[in-house]
Amino acid sequence: MKKVARRAPPPPPPSSDGFTPPKPKPPPRPGIQTFPRPPPRPSGVPYDASVASTHMSSGLPPLPSRRVTPDEVLEVQSPAPPLPARNSAHAASSMNVTDPVCERKLLGNSKLLPPPTRQIGLGDKLPPVRRPPTPSSDEESGEDEDPRTRTVDTLPDSSRSSRRPPSLSCFAYPASRIQVPAHSGQVAIASPSVVVATHHHIKCYDLTLDDIPLWTIDTREAGLRDAKVTCLEFKPTPSERYRYVWVGTKEGHLFEVDVSVGSVTATKYGRMMVTVDDAGKVMVFDPDSDVGMAGDMGEEDVSLVYTQSRVYRIAEKQDFVKMLGGLLWTSVRTEVNGTGAASVPVIRIYDPLVPGSVARCVMPTQRVGAVTCGTLLPSHPGHVYLGHEGGFISVWNVDTSDGTPECLEVMKVSTSDVLCLEGVNDRLWAGGRKGMVSAYDVGPRPWVVTNCWEAHDGLPVLKLFVDPSAIERVGKLCVVSVGRDERMRFWDGLLGSDRVDQELLKRERAFSKFRNLDVLIVSWNVDAAKPDALSSDAENAQFFQNVFQSTDGPDIIAFGFQEVIDLESRKMAAKTVLLGGKKKGEDGKISEKVTSSYKRWHDRLVSAVKMAMPSDSPYTVTHTESLVGLFTCIFVKNAHRVSVKDVAITTIKRGMGGRYGNKGAIVARLVVDDSSICFINCHLAAGQGHVRQRNADVTAMLEEKSLFPPSDAVEEYIAYVGGGDGSMVLDHEIVFLNGDMNYRIDQRREAVIHAIQSGELESLFIHDQLLKEMKHNRGFRLRAFQEGPLTFAPTYKYDRRSSEFDTSEKRRTPAWCDRILWRSRDPERVVQFNYQRYEANVSDHRPISAAFKVTIKSVRQDVRAREKVEVEKRWMEMEMVLLASAREFYLQRARTLI
C-alpha cells in the first residue's frame, strides 16, 4: 500500500490579544483514507471542524525542497492523472473538494513533483499485502514455515518409548463396557466397585459379577429435587474402607451413599473432607477442630451430620481446584499476569487447614496456557506438577523456607493441551486431546517418554487417576482413564509387561543365535538425469562399478534416488500425482509417460547388479517404489531369500501439508530371521533457513501411525521393539535413513569453499545444521540415530558436468545435503565400515554410499519361554515391594489430604 503525503494547513490568524492558538487536527478528506496517522494534537485543545474545513479549502504550502542532481531533473515526468474513485458514492461526495492530485505544483528549485497520493473510498477493502516472489522448488520449498513446527524440536525424546498399551485385566468383566457420558458423567472407583453418576442418576457396578448395575438411585426419588450430580469421591475410613461415597450436586447438596446397599445414609466417616462450590465457598470437615456432638461421642472421624464444618472463602468460579501437598491450588482461566506473549496464569494457593490463612499468588516462570490439572509424583516428594493448555507442565517446589511454592521449571511435552496428569510410582502420566496417554521419566534432561499409547481411539482423555483400593483388593496398582469416547479403561500403573521385556532383552544371548549380513546403501539426487547420461565419459561410466567395489558381495543392496523426474516441470509432476498411483486401461497398466523415468533407472540398476556380481550369487529385487521423484529399489541375495519375511513398502507425502509428494519418503521393511530392518529414502524440505520444517518432516516420518500392516506373527512380536507390531518405523530393530535431507552449512560461501579447498572439513562440522541439531536440540527425533564421520567434501551444489560449485545467480553455499544415518536397538549390532562419495557429475549432487555389517538374531522359542518364566517370577517379587511403597504413599495422602 502506498503512503499518502500530507501537507500541513497554514497557521490560523492570531487572535486579538496576539496569541496564536495551537494548530487543530485536520479532519480526513471525504472519500479518502490516508496513511500514516497524523501526530496527536496538544492536550486540552478541542477539535473545530469548521476551522479545519476552511484550512482545507485554502492553498496548501509546498513541501520543502531538496537538492537533486541534474540527472534527476531530466527524469521529471508530467503529472500523473488522478486515481479514479472506487465507489460512486464516494466519487459524488468528493466533487465538492478540490482534488489535490490535479493541482500538484512543481516544488523547490528542481521543480520536482510532490509524491503522488492514492485515493481509497471509505469502507472499501484495502489492497492485498504484496507477497515476496515464490522461491524456486530447488532452493526453497515454497511453503511458509508452520509455527507449530517450532515447538516440535523442544519436546521430550520419545524415540525409544514403548507404545504397547499396559492393559490390566483383573476382573471378569472389563471396565470399558461401562458407559461414562463425556460431559456430564462422574465416576468413582474402589475396585471392584464402580460408581457412575449422570445428572440425577447414580449407578453402581461390581466388575466381578456383571456389567449390569447392581442398583440405581434417582436423586429426585430420594428427596433431592432437581439435584444434578457434579462430583463423586470415595473416602477411606479406619473401620469400613471404601463403603461410602460422598456425592456433591450442582445445587449445593452434599450427601453420602452406602455402596453396599445402595441407599442414602445420614453420616459419613473419614479423617477429613474439603468441598468447594462455584461461589468460592470452601467447607472443611476436620474432626480435630470439632467440639460438637462428634467430640462428645468420642468419634475419631468426621461425621457429615455431627461435625461442624469450617467455612473458608476463595475466589468464585474456579476453573482448576485441587488439594496438592496439603494446600488448595486454584486457578481461573481469565486471570493472567501480563499481556500478549508475556502473559502467564495466576495461581492462588490456600491453606484451608489453617483458619484465617491468606492466599498466596504464584506464577510460572515462562508463558504457558491456563491450568488444567495437577498431581504429585511419589518418587519426587516435595514437588507439584501442573498441566497447562498448550502442552506445558510446570514443576513446583513446595518445601520452601517461607512456605510459598516456587516454580522450578516449565517443560513442553506436547503440541496440544495437557488435559489430565497423574503421578504413578516413578512416572508422570499425562493424557492429551488425541486420546494418547504418555508416561514420562522426569529424572533426565530432557524428559524421556518411556511409554506412549493410544487409550481412547483418538478422542480426548478427560480423567486420569489411581484407584488405591486395587492395591489391597486386587494386588495391582490400577490407573483409570476416562475419555471422550465415553469409556473407562484400566491400566497397569507399574508397567509390568515392559519391565519383563526389558529384562528379557538383557538375557537375549541366552536364547538366540546370531549371524552377520553385509548391507550396502546408495543415495543420490540425480536431478532428473537419465541413466544414459552415465555413458558420457569414463568417470561416469565407472560409477556403478566403483560402488560395488566399495564392499565385497553385500547381502542386501538398497538404492535410494531423489528427483528422478524434473520437479521444476509442473507438467511431469502433475502427471505423477494424478496418474502415478492409478491404474489406467483394462490391462491395469499405469501411464507409460509417468513411469518411463523410473523404469529406465530400474532396468539400469538390475543390469548393473547382474554385471558386477558373481553369476553364482544372483540377486532378486524385493522392493521397488516411486513417489514424485523418489525411487527405491532393494536387492537381496538369493541365498537369504528363504529367511526373508514380512516384506512391505509404502510412501509418506510431506509436500504442501502432506498432500503432495515432491517432499516425503519411501519406507521399506523386511524381517530376516527374527530381526526387523527398515529402509527410509527421503527428500526433506529445502531452503537454507527451513531447519524446523526439515525437523518436522523427520518427526512425521518416524511417528506415522499404521504405516505398514501389523505383523502376522502368531506369537509375540519378537522381531520388533518398543512394544510395537511393525506398523511404525521405530518398531523395527534396525532403521537406515538416507536421502537428500537438505540440511545446510550455516557459513559464508567463500569460507566454506576455502575450507574445502584447503582440506579443513572439520572446521565446517560446527556449522552443519544436522550435526548441530543432533548435538544441541534435545527433542530432535534423529538424536537417537548415528552417522559415520564425514571424510568427503560436501555433495551439493555443483554445476552439471563440472567440479565447480554453483556458479548461477543464486551461488548456493556448498553443503552435505546427502546423508546416510542408522539406528539400532543394540548399537553394537550395526558397524559401518565405509562412507564415501563418488564423482559422477551428471547431476548437481554427488552420489554417496555406506556399507555396514549388521548382526541379526534367530530366537530359540523354547529356551526363551523358560527364561521368561524366571523373569516373571522375579518381577512378582519386585512388584510386591513396589505395591507396599505405593500403599504407604496413598495412606499418607489420605491422612493429610495431600
Side-chain angles (χ1 to χ4, degrees), residues 754-886:
H754 175 74
I756 296 172
Q757 293 175 346
S758 59
E760 299 175 351
L761 298 179
E762 295 82 0
S763 64
L764 301 177
F765 293 167
I766 61 175
H767 304 290
D768 181 77
Q769 293 176 348
L770 179 58
L771 296 180
K772 288 195 298 183
E773 292 296 302
M774 295 176 71
K775 182 177 181 180
H776 302 294
N777 186 346
R778 65 185 186 180
F780 187 42
R781 293 306 184 265
L782 293 183
R783 205 170 188 183
F785 282 68
Q786 301 181 58
E787 183 183 20
L790 294 169
T791 58
F792 51 85
T795 57
Y796 171 88
K797 171 180 172 102
Y798 289 88
D799 293 338
R800 274 194 170 195
R801 298 190 180 279
S802 168
S803 297
E804 295 292 330
F805 287 106
D806 185 22
T807 59
S808 67
E809 294 180 358
K810 295 183 178 180
R811 296 179 62 83
R812 298 175 181 85
T813 302
W816 285 291
C817 289
D818 306 279
R819 313 291 272 266
I820 299 176
L821 288 73
W822 75 92
R823 172 186 182 269
S824 175
R825 178 182 59 80
D826 187 347
E828 297 180 354
R829 296 186 184 177
V830 177
V831 178
Q832 185 185 66
F833 56 85
N834 188 296
Y835 193 24
Q836 65 185 70
R837 72 172 238 173
Y838 303 89
E839 300 308 319
N841 60 10
V842 299
S843 167
D844 57 353
H845 290 248
R846 292 294 187 262
I848 62 173
S849 74
F852 302 88
K853 186 174 295 294
V854 176
T855 302
I856 61 173
K857 68 180 185 298
S858 177
V859 176
R860 292 178 292 176
Q861 297 289 352
D862 54 341
V863 181
R864 183 181 183 274
R866 290 196 297 268
E867 291 288 336
K868 186 175 181 180
V869 171
E870 182 179 349
V871 170
E872 290 177 338
K873 181 179 179 181
R874 293 192 175 186
W875 162 243
M876 293 178 62
E877 297 174 356
M878 183 182 298
E879 185 179 31
M880 297 304 296
V881 176
L882 295 176
L883 288 175
S885 176

Side-chain angles (χ1 to χ4, degrees), residues 603-632:
D603 294 344
R604 181 59 183 271
L605 293 177
V606 171
S607 175
V609 171
K610 185 176 182 180
M611 293 177 60
M613 297 303 170
S615 58
D616 58 347
S617 299
Y619 290 77
T620 300
V621 176
T622 59
H623 304 73
T624 180
E625 183 61 275
S626 61
L627 173 68
V628 193
L630 285 169
F631 178 64
T632 292

Side-chain angles (χ1 to χ4, degrees), residues 320 322-329 373-376 384-386 398 893 897-898:
F320 168 74
K322 192 167 185 178
M323 289 291 299
L324 297 169
L327 302 174
L328 185 65
W329 295 62
C373 50
T375 190
L376 300 175
V384 169
Y385 298 83
L386 298 182
V398 295
R893 182 175 180 175
L897 268 183
I898 62 174

